[in-house]
């Protein structure tokens, strides 16, 4: 299957293609967060301005770290191979950060992996994934791997995973978490003690107002005004707007505004006392443009859905869903706040999106 790169319009940082054994261009530091203006900070919040991590690609592996310096890397299909099996390696930040390993079968259930064979060396694996010493042993083997195979419990090969770029991805994680030169590093190992590794950062707290109560009635005139404000496509006749009551008396409205082949763009409004105003959002979602030249009149989400007090957005890079951006937001009484973002910037057969931002939700 032809390799397809995810368009920059999704808001993902461009991936940097590097040789498999190349170190990062510069030694990065763990992601940091900046304070927002006190004028918009909710009481009891840390209110960090969301700065999702930028995924990087090293040949057939993509890697990302979030704002608490948890890092994960995922295998990708090659030009000639749409992957039957994919592998993810993740590691928490801090001196005692555990390694986690998980295998998946993106093309369906053709058997469950029971063994991962790296350069002829067999490692037992589990459908629920591995963590701790057994996962770390696999990660260290990947650092010098040339062949990676997944086998079922009878020893039948289920698929292969490219080793190209795995070492560079692990080296990047070592650098991003401040492990280079320490005994905890997976590739860039040295003699420095674990105590010298940078500590994990705490996730920012986000106050959340519950989705509860009766939503406001949406009159034809109110909806027509919202469509004008959002500059909706006049030829688009999508599904009905979805209104969700909030515990503070407001109503969140998801207004279908336009659509692509597999993405519906939903403009966001808050209705109070019969008046609709564009919803404030602390992070761009979906196809929104960013930067000083952005002229977005109303914020939007893609394929928006409300579930369990959370507004979710899922912008697909293509119909297969193997690339794009997934986001979750909560309402804090003033604006919608990003609580989680996952991304996959390479359309190469792996639907296992990597976390690039997280917050801790405090519900009222």
């Amino acid at each position: 299957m032809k390799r397809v790169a995810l368009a920059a319009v999704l808001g993902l940082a461009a991936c940097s293609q590097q040789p498999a054994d190349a170190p990062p261009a510069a030694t990065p530091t763990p992601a940091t967060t900046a304070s927002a203006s006190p004028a918009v900070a909710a009481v009891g919040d840390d209110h960090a301005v969301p700065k999702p991590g930028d995924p990087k690609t090293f040949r057939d592996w993509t890697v990302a770290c979030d704002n608490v310096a948890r890092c994960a890397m995922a295998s990708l299909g090659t030009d000639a191979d749409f992957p039957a099996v994919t592998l993810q390696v993740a590691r928490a930040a801090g001196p005692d950060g555990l390694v986690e390993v998980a295998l998946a079968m993106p093309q369906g259930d053709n058997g469950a992996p029971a063994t991962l064979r790296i350069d002829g060396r067999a490692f037992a694996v589990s459908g629920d994934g591995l963590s701790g010493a057994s996962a770390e042993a696999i990660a260290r083997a990947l650092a010098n791997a040339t062949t990676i195979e997944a086998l079922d419990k009878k020893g039948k090969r289920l698929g292969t995973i490219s080793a190209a770029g795995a070492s560079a991805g692990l080296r990047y994680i070592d650098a991003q978490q401040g492990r280079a030169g320490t005994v905890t590093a997976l590739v860039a190992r040295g003699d420095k003690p674990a105590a010298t590794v940078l500590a994990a950062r705490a996730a920012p707290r986000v106050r959340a107002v519950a989705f509860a109560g009766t939503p406001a009635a949406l009159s034809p005139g109110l909806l027509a005004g919202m469509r004008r404000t959002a500059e909706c496509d006049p030829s688009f006749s999508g599904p009905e707007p979805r209104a969700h009551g909030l515990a503070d008396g407001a109503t969140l409205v998801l207004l279908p505004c336009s659509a692509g082949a597999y993405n519906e763009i939903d403009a966001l409004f808050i209705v109070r006392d019969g008046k609709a105003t564009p919803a404030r959002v602390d992070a761009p979602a979906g196809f929104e443009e960013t930067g000083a030249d952005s002229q977005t009149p109303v914020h939007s989400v893609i394929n928006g859905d409300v579930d369990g007090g959370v507004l979710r957005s899922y912008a697909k890079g293509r119909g297969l869903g193997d690339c794009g951006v997934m986001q979750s937001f909560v309402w804090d009484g003033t604006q919608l706040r990003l609580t989680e973002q996952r991304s996959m910037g390479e359309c190469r057969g792996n639907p296992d999106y990597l976390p690039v931002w997280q917050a801790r939700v405090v519900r009222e």
Side-chain angles (χ1 to χ4, degrees), residues 2-6 317-318 322-324 344-350:
K2 183 178 180 180
R3 181 182 301 180
V4 184
L6 181 63
R318 63 178 180 176
D322 60 343
C323 52
M344 175 54 73
E346 299 284 346
C347 303
R348 293 171 58 184
N350 190 340

Side-chain angles (χ1 to χ4, degrees), residues 144-241:
N144 298 301
T146 57
T147 62
I148 309 169
E149 302 170 290
L151 313 176
D152 67 13
K153 61 182 180 180
K154 295 182 179 180
K156 176 185 176 182
R157 190 171 73 179
L158 298 173
T160 61
I161 297 165
S162 174
S167 180
L170 292 169
R171 187 181 294 275
Y172 179 85
I173 291 174
D174 284 343
Q176 189 76 358
Q177 295 183 333
R179 300 184 184 280
T182 75
V183 295
T184 72
L186 295 172
V187 177
R189 213 165 179 191
D191 297 328
K192 295 179 183 178
T196 63
V197 175
L198 297 173
R201 294 180 178 271
R205 293 170 299 166
V206 172
R207 168 180 174 261
V209 174
F211 281 74
T214 302
L218 305 179
S219 68
L222 189 64
L223 288 172
M226 285 191 277
R227 291 191 178 97
R228 287 194 299 270
T229 300
E231 300 178 1
C232 293
D233 180 356
S235 64
F236 177 60
S237 57
E240 292 297 313

